[in-house]
Amino acid sequence: MTTTDKTDETLGRTELVEDARAAFTGSLFGPYFPLRLEPAIYATTDRMAPAYTGGFWRFWRLADGGFYMAPDAEEPYEVHSMNGWSGQLSADALGIVSCLTAYSHLSFRGPESVARTCAEHYHRLRHWMMEHPEVEGVLRATD
């Protein structure tokens, strides 16, 4: 992996390189990220996308300081969301759905400061994804 972050101007996000991930997620969520949030995102993805089998994930810093992560895959996934919606989403959109779902669930659990942080990042990501090319599918999967 390169040592320079890659900015995606069209969507207002910057991909975090591997050696910057721990510092960035630590600054947002502290030790809660590797202990609870990251596993919750992976578990949510595993439940919603039967073809998901793990692998490398891309980490994204949003222009407003928000964060999400998504599987690094070219092929779309068949998704069966927890609200009953089914359809195809890109790996990027699946990551958004998984992060929104995990943020929402964890905003009602755990220490108050972590719950508040998850709620804040839920709203940042949801606001940001309204400009995403797959906004309709993400909304159907999460609403």
Side-chain angles (χ1 to χ4, degrees):
M1 174 132 294
T2 66
T3 58
T4 306
D5 290 343
K6 294 179 272 181
T7 300
D8 179 345
E9 294 293 334
T10 60
L11 288 177
R13 65 184 183 176
T14 301
E15 184 174 2
L16 296 166
V17 294
E18 259 186 275
D19 50 351
R21 293 172 174 210
F24 184 71
T25 56
S27 72
L28 298 178
F29 306 103
Y32 198 79
F33 181 77
L35 298 176
R36 294 282 310 266
L37 180 55
E38 189 176 26
I41 293 168
Y42 296 144
T44 299
T45 305
D46 192 49
R47 281 192 304 274
M48 288 192 302
Y52 169 72
T53 58
F56 186 78
W57 283 59
R58 299 172 80 176
F59 283 36
W60 296 97
R61 176 180 49 225
L62 304 179
D64 67 358
F67 166 79
Y68 81 99
M69 52 192 274
D72 185 20
E74 296 295 321
E75 298 298 317
Y77 287 93
E78 184 66 30
V79 176
H80 307 283
S81 72
M82 293 175 215
N83 68 5
W85 178 84
S86 292
Q88 282 199 339
L89 293 174
S90 69
D92 192 60
L94 173 60
I96 293 168
V97 169
S98 296
C99 288
L100 286 170
T101 302
Y103 286 152
S104 177
H105 287 216
L106 294 172
S107 71
F108 294 101
R109 296 179 180 87
E112 185 178 334
S113 63
V114 173
R116 195 172 325 122
T117 299
C118 285
E120 175 186 327
H121 282 277
Y122 173 89
H123 290 289
R124 286 181 181 199
L125 179 54
R126 192 170 191 288
H127 176 74
W128 174 85
M129 76 81 199
M130 296 304 274
E131 300 299 320
H132 193 275
E134 293 176 81
V135 63
E136 186 176 317
V138 172
L139 286 172
R140 288 181 179 197
T142 57
D143 288 343

